[in-house]
Amino acid sequence: MSVYFSENETISLDSIRDLQLRRMKKQLLYVLHGNAVYRDLYRRAGIDAGWVENKFRDFEAISELPTIKKDNLRDTYPLGLCCVDKAEIREMHMSSGSTGTPIVMPYTQADLAQWSECMARCYIMAGARKGDVAQVTPSFGLFNGGFGMYHGARAAELFVVPTGAGNTERQIRLARDFKTKIFGAVVSYGIRILEMLDEMKMTLPDWKIGVFGAETFSDELKNRFRSKLDIEAYDIYGMTETGGVGTLGMECPARDGIHVWEDHYYVEILDPLTLRVLPDGEEGELAVTSLTREALPVIRFRTGDLTKIQSREKCVCGRTHVRIAPISGRTDDMLIIKGVNFFPKQVEQALLEIPGVLPHFQIIVEEIDGVKDVRINVEAEDDVTGYTVEKHLKERLGFSPKGDVYKKGELPRQEGKAQRVFK
Ligand code: DLL
């Protein structure tokens, strides 16, 4: 396969671990030295520079380090966890999340280069080559999606068409006129494109590679994108706190999980209740340590995202970096209805298995006489009946939710990430 790897993508497992251990030690000493909030957090856990130098000999010792969560970043808004002088900051991104208090990620020049490298690796892994046209459709602004895809495309020497969000008809026209090869978008925008092509009876652009992320992405939806958009859809992962889109990796053409860029990040799967590190193959909460960031490195950051270690074997693509399973949901997204646990992604997967059902749905959680119940509304072609939907959901989820079948275009749409659950 491709020879466009950076050296670190194919080094042996032992070399990766060595590199990670060295980088992690350096990172720990760096935050202890550079940030009073980190220093205080570690002091309370009995961790100081002496511990790092003498006790941190292998990754077994990592469980002694405290974890951090979004709250640690929120509580220190705007730059309380930042480890560099403000004069060294060159860019920032921000996510507001559901609580409204923002999380800020500052970047130094070196951080921007690190982000660009991670994102460029993703494009190249998907088959992009120098001079190819990359259309960047996530919004440019505080959301990291647009700028991340832009920085990465520059680093991979692509021809960037930075459309940003919206004006879908024009996006499709530009993709045709400029022969876009790589189309980068949040998953919901892929759905919007599907819809627009159908509504306007527009000819499909001759794109090849779709880099989609920011939301859970069921296999059924990936298949629809492949067949209806005629595009190779790749699941790309990243978040504000780790430095943005692409920092945590992407699927390779073997489609056997998401390769995490392990020379830049150390990942663990934790039991969300006990915070114990789980064995490979068991699903839990992903915790991430950024090994090479300067402005705001996160250490044992609990992402809230649920996944498992899929494989540590060398991949058929030649890369040696660990593969995690596509994200199944967030710890705070899990619904428990009538004793059955499930995630919105499973609902999407089940719904899209029904021919004629469209990728627009709502999960409405209601409480009747103190008992939680759920309605699942979905859009579908005219010949799909409520009975068919209910029967299939019963088979796949284990209970029969109530709900209505809506006509195409009747359910509300959101800009950016879609809201599926309404409580
Ligand atoms: O959503 C970064 C991004 C932009 C990724 C564009 C891919 C494409 P945030 O807004 O900070 O950053 O949201 C991060 O989104 O913790 C996950 O819950 C979710 N998420 C991101 N990528 C995926 C994915 C961007 N591939 C949060 N699958 C994360 C599932 C994803 N969830």
mmCIF file of all heavy atoms in Angstrom, residues 70 95 138 143-145 149 185-186 212-217 235-241 244-246 258 303 305 327 330 417, ligand 1:
data_model
loop_
_atom_site.group_PDB
_atom_site.id
_atom_site.type_symbol
_atom_site.label_atom_id
_atom_site.label_comp_id
_atom_site.label_asym_id
_atom_site.label_seq_id
_atom_site.Cartn_x
_atom_site.Cartn_y
_atom_site.Cartn_z
ATOM 1 N N LYS A 70 -13.755 17.515 31.593
ATOM 2 C CA LYS A 70 -14.121 18.814 31.007
ATOM 3 C C LYS A 70 -14.218 19.887 32.090
ATOM 4 O O LYS A 70 -13.837 21.033 31.861
ATOM 5 C CB LYS A 70 -15.469 18.711 30.290
ATOM 6 C CG LYS A 70 -15.369 18.058 28.916
ATOM 7 C CD LYS A 70 -16.750 18.024 28.272
ATOM 8 C CE LYS A 70 -16.745 17.256 26.967
ATOM 9 N NZ LYS A 70 -15.997 17.880 25.889
ATOM 10 N N SER A 95 -15.077 25.058 22.515
ATOM 11 C CA SER A 95 -16.359 24.363 22.348
ATOM 12 C C SER A 95 -17.224 24.747 23.526
ATOM 13 O O SER A 95 -16.727 24.913 24.642
ATOM 14 C CB SER A 95 -16.157 22.856 22.276
ATOM 15 O OG SER A 95 -15.889 22.347 23.540
ATOM 16 N N PRO A 138 -16.728 21.977 7.270
ATOM 17 C CA PRO A 138 -17.132 22.385 8.629
ATOM 18 C C PRO A 138 -16.892 23.879 8.814
ATOM 19 O O PRO A 138 -16.072 24.468 8.081
ATOM 20 C CB PRO A 138 -16.201 21.572 9.541
ATOM 21 C CG PRO A 138 -15.731 20.434 8.711
ATOM 22 C CD PRO A 138 -15.638 20.983 7.312
ATOM 23 N N PHE A 143 -15.266 26.671 16.425
ATOM 24 C CA PHE A 143 -15.304 25.219 16.216
ATOM 25 C C PHE A 143 -14.010 24.831 15.499
ATOM 26 O O PHE A 143 -13.577 25.516 14.565
ATOM 27 C CB PHE A 143 -16.527 24.858 15.359
ATOM 28 C CG PHE A 143 -16.636 23.388 15.032
ATOM 29 C CD1 PHE A 143 -16.578 22.417 16.027
ATOM 30 C CD2 PHE A 143 -16.808 22.963 13.713
ATOM 31 C CE1 PHE A 143 -16.681 21.069 15.716
ATOM 32 C CE2 PHE A 143 -16.919 21.615 13.390
ATOM 33 C CZ PHE A 143 -16.858 20.669 14.405
ATOM 34 N N ASN A 144 -13.401 23.739 15.935
ATOM 35 C CA ASN A 144 -12.083 23.386 15.386
ATOM 36 C C ASN A 144 -12.144 22.702 14.020
ATOM 37 O O ASN A 144 -11.110 22.538 13.368
ATOM 38 C CB ASN A 144 -11.346 22.498 16.398
ATOM 39 C CG ASN A 144 -12.050 21.168 16.608
ATOM 40 O OD1 ASN A 144 -11.998 20.298 15.746
ATOM 41 N ND2 ASN A 144 -12.720 20.996 17.741
ATOM 42 N N GLY A 145 -13.356 22.267 13.597
ATOM 43 C CA GLY A 145 -13.472 21.432 12.397
ATOM 44 C C GLY A 145 -12.933 22.075 11.124
ATOM 45 O O GLY A 145 -12.141 21.475 10.394
ATOM 46 N N MET A 149 -9.192 21.020 9.420
ATOM 47 C CA MET A 149 -9.119 20.394 8.101
ATOM 48 C C MET A 149 -8.309 21.277 7.148
ATOM 49 O O MET A 149 -7.631 20.787 6.254
ATOM 50 C CB MET A 149 -10.522 20.129 7.551
ATOM 51 C CG MET A 149 -11.223 19.011 8.311
ATOM 52 S SD MET A 149 -12.709 18.463 7.451
ATOM 53 C CE MET A 149 -13.267 17.168 8.557
ATOM 54 N N ALA A 185 -16.238 16.860 6.213
ATOM 55 C CA ALA A 185 -17.507 17.355 6.755
ATOM 56 C C ALA A 185 -17.836 16.712 8.094
ATOM 57 O O ALA A 185 -17.298 15.656 8.432
ATOM 58 C CB ALA A 185 -18.637 17.043 5.775
ATOM 59 N N VAL A 186 -18.737 17.356 8.838
ATOM 60 C CA VAL A 186 -19.306 16.657 9.988
ATOM 61 C C VAL A 186 -20.333 15.668 9.416
ATOM 62 O O VAL A 186 -20.877 15.894 8.332
ATOM 63 C CB VAL A 186 -19.945 17.607 11.048
ATOM 64 C CG1 VAL A 186 -18.933 18.619 11.564
ATOM 65 C CG2 VAL A 186 -21.154 18.328 10.519
ATOM 66 N N PHE A 212 -15.358 12.173 7.365
ATOM 67 C CA PHE A 212 -16.506 12.601 8.164
ATOM 68 C C PHE A 212 -16.278 12.324 9.644
ATOM 69 O O PHE A 212 -15.746 11.267 9.991
ATOM 70 C CB PHE A 212 -17.767 11.824 7.744
ATOM 71 C CG PHE A 212 -18.198 12.063 6.326
ATOM 72 C CD1 PHE A 212 -17.911 11.124 5.331
ATOM 73 C CD2 PHE A 212 -18.895 13.212 5.985
ATOM 74 C CE1 PHE A 212 -18.323 11.333 4.020
ATOM 75 C CE2 PHE A 212 -19.314 13.421 4.674
ATOM 76 C CZ PHE A 212 -19.025 12.484 3.688
ATOM 77 N N GLY A 213 -16.711 13.227 10.500
ATOM 78 C CA GLY A 213 -16.553 12.990 11.940
ATOM 79 C C GLY A 213 -17.383 13.951 12.744
ATOM 80 O O GLY A 213 -18.357 14.518 12.250
ATOM 81 N N ALA A 214 -16.973 14.116 13.994
ATOM 82 C CA ALA A 214 -17.602 15.013 14.969
ATOM 83 C C ALA A 214 -18.867 14.435 15.600
ATOM 84 O O ALA A 214 -19.385 14.977 16.564
ATOM 85 C CB ALA A 214 -17.894 16.402 14.380
ATOM 86 N N GLU A 215 -19.367 13.340 15.044
ATOM 87 C CA GLU A 215 -20.578 12.698 15.569
ATOM 88 C C GLU A 215 -20.445 11.188 15.360
ATOM 89 O O GLU A 215 -19.720 10.766 14.457
ATOM 90 C CB GLU A 215 -21.800 13.176 14.781
ATOM 91 C CG GLU A 215 -22.065 14.648 14.906
ATOM 92 C CD GLU A 215 -23.082 15.115 13.874
ATOM 93 O OE1 GLU A 215 -22.744 15.165 12.683
ATOM 94 O OE2 GLU A 215 -24.215 15.411 14.271
ATOM 95 N N THR A 216 -21.190 10.421 16.145
ATOM 96 C CA THR A 216 -21.136 8.971 15.928
ATOM 97 C C THR A 216 -21.624 8.666 14.507
ATOM 98 O O THR A 216 -22.476 9.373 13.962
ATOM 99 C CB THR A 216 -21.998 8.199 16.954
ATOM 100 O OG1 THR A 216 -23.296 8.764 16.964
ATOM 101 C CG2 THR A 216 -21.388 8.231 18.340
ATOM 102 N N PHE A 217 -21.068 7.602 13.966
ATOM 103 C CA PHE A 217 -21.217 7.341 12.535
ATOM 104 C C PHE A 217 -21.475 5.828 12.403
ATOM 105 O O PHE A 217 -20.540 5.035 12.471
ATOM 106 C CB PHE A 217 -19.880 7.757 11.888
ATOM 107 C CG PHE A 217 -19.875 7.950 10.398
ATOM 108 C CD1 PHE A 217 -21.023 7.940 9.651
ATOM 109 C CD2 PHE A 217 -18.656 8.146 9.752
ATOM 110 C CE1 PHE A 217 -20.972 8.128 8.283
ATOM 111 C CE2 PHE A 217 -18.597 8.338 8.392
ATOM 112 C CZ PHE A 217 -19.762 8.326 7.649
ATOM 113 N N ASP A 235 -14.064 7.569 8.951
ATOM 114 C CA ASP A 235 -14.482 8.072 10.256
ATOM 115 C C ASP A 235 -13.278 8.748 10.913
ATOM 116 O O ASP A 235 -12.305 8.082 11.273
ATOM 117 C CB ASP A 235 -14.948 6.854 11.071
ATOM 118 C CG ASP A 235 -15.694 7.215 12.328
ATOM 119 O OD1 ASP A 235 -15.521 8.333 12.819
ATOM 120 O OD2 ASP A 235 -16.449 6.343 12.818
ATOM 121 N N ILE A 236 -13.331 10.063 11.063
ATOM 122 C CA ILE A 236 -12.198 10.808 11.634
ATOM 123 C C ILE A 236 -12.558 11.306 13.031
ATOM 124 O O ILE A 236 -13.692 11.695 13.279
ATOM 125 C CB ILE A 236 -11.781 11.975 10.708
ATOM 126 C CG1 ILE A 236 -10.477 12.603 11.195
ATOM 127 C CG2 ILE A 236 -12.859 13.053 10.584
ATOM 128 C CD1 ILE A 236 -9.812 13.491 10.175
ATOM 129 N N TYR A 237 -11.571 11.286 13.924
ATOM 130 C CA TYR A 237 -11.848 11.535 15.336
ATOM 131 C C TYR A 237 -10.929 12.612 15.902
ATOM 132 O O TYR A 237 -9.778 12.743 15.475
ATOM 133 C CB TYR A 237 -11.658 10.212 16.080
ATOM 134 C CG TYR A 237 -12.013 10.203 17.540
ATOM 135 C CD1 TYR A 237 -13.174 10.808 18.021
ATOM 136 C CD2 TYR A 237 -11.186 9.555 18.458
ATOM 137 C CE1 TYR A 237 -13.494 10.769 19.365
ATOM 138 C CE2 TYR A 237 -11.499 9.512 19.798
ATOM 139 C CZ TYR A 237 -12.662 10.123 20.251
ATOM 140 O OH TYR A 237 -12.969 10.082 21.592
ATOM 141 N N GLY A 238 -11.435 13.332 16.849
ATOM 142 C CA GLY A 238 -10.659 14.366 17.529
ATOM 143 C C GLY A 238 -11.604 15.229 18.329
ATOM 144 O O GLY A 238 -12.823 15.089 18.207
ATOM 145 N N MET A 239 -11.058 16.091 19.150
ATOM 146 C CA MET A 239 -11.906 16.961 19.978
ATOM 147 C C MET A 239 -11.130 18.200 20.390
ATOM 148 O O MET A 239 -9.894 18.202 20.347
ATOM 149 C CB MET A 239 -12.384 16.199 21.214
ATOM 150 C CG MET A 239 -11.256 15.761 22.108
ATOM 151 S SD MET A 239 -11.765 14.501 23.300
ATOM 152 C CE MET A 239 -12.089 13.120 22.229
ATOM 153 N N THR A 240 -11.865 19.225 20.792
ATOM 154 C CA THR A 240 -11.253 20.479 21.225
ATOM 155 C C THR A 240 -10.107 20.216 22.209
ATOM 156 O O THR A 240 -9.007 20.747 22.051
ATOM 157 C CB THR A 240 -12.335 21.351 21.932
ATOM 158 O OG1 THR A 240 -13.449 21.454 21.053
ATOM 159 C CG2 THR A 240 -11.811 22.721 22.263
ATOM 160 N N GLU A 241 -10.355 19.380 23.213
ATOM 161 C CA GLU A 241 -9.398 19.228 24.316
ATOM 162 C C GLU A 241 -8.099 18.546 23.903
ATOM 163 O O GLU A 241 -7.070 18.709 24.549
ATOM 164 C CB GLU A 241 -10.043 18.424 25.462
ATOM 165 C CG GLU A 241 -11.263 19.080 26.101
ATOM 166 C CD GLU A 241 -12.565 18.782 25.354
ATOM 167 O OE1 GLU A 241 -12.521 18.276 24.215
ATOM 168 O OE2 GLU A 241 -13.638 19.070 25.921
ATOM 169 N N GLY A 244 -8.195 19.160 18.517
ATOM 170 C CA GLY A 244 -9.044 19.302 17.340
ATOM 171 C C GLY A 244 -9.162 18.075 16.446
ATOM 172 O O GLY A 244 -8.619 17.004 16.725
ATOM 173 N N VAL A 245 -9.880 18.290 15.350
ATOM 174 C CA VAL A 245 -10.162 17.226 14.387
ATOM 175 C C VAL A 245 -8.858 16.556 13.922
ATOM 176 O O VAL A 245 -7.870 17.237 13.665
ATOM 177 C CB VAL A 245 -10.954 17.774 13.172
ATOM 178 C CG1 VAL A 245 -10.274 18.966 12.537
ATOM 179 C CG2 VAL A 245 -11.175 16.699 12.112
ATOM 180 N N GLY A 246 -8.907 15.235 13.864
ATOM 181 C CA GLY A 246 -7.765 14.490 13.308
ATOM 182 C C GLY A 246 -6.654 14.207 14.296
ATOM 183 O O GLY A 246 -5.805 13.359 14.044
ATOM 184 N N ILE A 258 -10.057 2.822 14.385
ATOM 185 C CA ILE A 258 -9.434 4.144 14.206
ATOM 186 C C ILE A 258 -7.995 4.071 14.705
ATOM 187 O O ILE A 258 -7.755 3.735 15.864
ATOM 188 C CB ILE A 258 -10.246 5.197 14.993
ATOM 189 C CG1 ILE A 258 -11.630 5.366 14.341
ATOM 190 C CG2 ILE A 258 -9.502 6.522 15.106
ATOM 191 C CD1 ILE A 258 -12.608 6.203 15.110
ATOM 192 N N THR A 303 -12.545 11.611 28.225
ATOM 193 C CA THR A 303 -13.226 12.225 27.082
ATOM 194 C C THR A 303 -14.747 12.133 27.167
ATOM 195 O O THR A 303 -15.446 12.875 26.488
ATOM 196 C CB THR A 303 -12.813 11.527 25.768
ATOM 197 O OG1 THR A 303 -13.216 10.148 25.861
ATOM 198 C CG2 THR A 303 -11.321 11.622 25.530
ATOM 199 N N ASP A 305 -16.179 9.711 25.856
ATOM 200 C CA ASP A 305 -16.506 8.888 24.679
ATOM 201 C C ASP A 305 -16.275 7.407 24.987
ATOM 202 O O ASP A 305 -15.287 7.048 25.638
ATOM 203 C CB ASP A 305 -15.629 9.292 23.488
ATOM 204 C CG ASP A 305 -15.986 10.676 22.976
ATOM 205 O OD1 ASP A 305 -17.144 11.105 23.164
ATOM 206 O OD2 ASP A 305 -15.104 11.332 22.387
ATOM 207 N N ILE A 327 -16.387 5.296 17.855
ATOM 208 C CA ILE A 327 -17.056 5.697 19.103
ATOM 209 C C ILE A 327 -18.516 5.228 19.085
ATOM 210 O O ILE A 327 -19.238 5.469 18.118
ATOM 211 C CB ILE A 327 -17.007 7.241 19.272
ATOM 212 C CG1 ILE A 327 -15.567 7.752 19.129
ATOM 213 C CG2 ILE A 327 -17.656 7.691 20.576
ATOM 214 C CD1 ILE A 327 -14.561 7.129 20.067
ATOM 215 N N ARG A 330 -21.557 8.514 24.039
ATOM 216 C CA ARG A 330 -20.907 9.202 25.156
ATOM 217 C C ARG A 330 -21.486 8.675 26.462
ATOM 218 O O ARG A 330 -22.645 8.244 26.491
ATOM 219 C CB ARG A 330 -21.152 10.714 25.053
ATOM 220 C CG ARG A 330 -20.429 11.352 23.875
ATOM 221 C CD ARG A 330 -20.537 12.864 23.940
ATOM 222 N NE ARG A 330 -20.115 13.413 25.220
ATOM 223 C CZ ARG A 330 -18.828 13.569 25.591
ATOM 224 N NH1 ARG A 330 -17.860 13.223 24.790
ATOM 225 N NH2 ARG A 330 -18.531 14.068 26.774
ATOM 226 N N LYS A 417 -23.584 19.929 14.291
ATOM 227 C CA LYS A 417 -23.896 18.590 14.783
ATOM 228 C C LYS A 417 -25.404 18.456 15.009
ATOM 229 O O LYS A 417 -26.050 19.389 15.484
ATOM 230 C CB LYS A 417 -23.162 18.327 16.102
ATOM 231 C CG LYS A 417 -21.653 18.527 16.007
ATOM 232 C CD LYS A 417 -20.944 18.039 17.254
ATOM 233 C CE LYS A 417 -19.502 18.484 17.243
ATOM 234 N NZ LYS A 417 -18.625 17.684 18.090
HETATM 235 O O1 DLL B 1 -16.120 17.580 16.892
HETATM 236 C C1 DLL B 1 -13.783 17.665 16.262
HETATM 237 C C2 DLL B 1 -14.105 17.148 14.906
HETATM 238 C C3 DLL B 1 -14.508 18.031 13.900
HETATM 239 C C4 DLL B 1 -13.970 15.797 14.634
HETATM 240 C C5 DLL B 1 -14.785 17.554 12.621
HETATM 241 C C6 DLL B 1 -14.220 15.304 13.369
HETATM 242 C C7 DLL B 1 -14.649 16.185 12.347
HETATM 243 P P1 DLL B 1 -15.632 18.976 19.480
HETATM 244 O O2 DLL B 1 -16.651 19.906 18.977
HETATM 245 O O3 DLL B 1 -14.785 19.383 20.622
HETATM 246 O O4 DLL B 1 -14.641 18.567 18.346
HETATM 247 O O5 DLL B 1 -16.400 17.651 19.884
HETATM 248 C C8 DLL B 1 -15.694 16.517 20.316
HETATM 249 O O6 DLL B 1 -17.326 15.070 19.324
HETATM 250 O O7 DLL B 1 -15.672 14.048 22.316
HETATM 251 C C9 DLL B 1 -16.996 13.073 20.504
HETATM 252 O O8 DLL B 1 -18.018 12.960 21.448
HETATM 253 C C10 DLL B 1 -17.534 13.680 19.218
HETATM 254 N N1 DLL B 1 -16.809 13.153 18.062
HETATM 255 C C11 DLL B 1 -15.787 13.712 17.368
HETATM 256 N N2 DLL B 1 -15.412 12.893 16.355
HETATM 257 C C12 DLL B 1 -16.189 11.779 16.451
HETATM 258 C C13 DLL B 1 -16.281 10.564 15.708
HETATM 259 C C14 DLL B 1 -14.984 17.933 17.165
HETATM 260 N N3 DLL B 1 -15.526 10.307 14.666
HETATM 261 C C15 DLL B 1 -16.657 15.377 20.544
HETATM 262 N N4 DLL B 1 -17.204 9.651 16.127
HETATM 263 C C16 DLL B 1 -15.967 14.097 20.946
HETATM 264 C C17 DLL B 1 -17.994 9.898 17.193
HETATM 265 C C18 DLL B 1 -17.075 11.947 17.531
HETATM 266 N N5 DLL B 1 -17.963 11.011 17.899
#
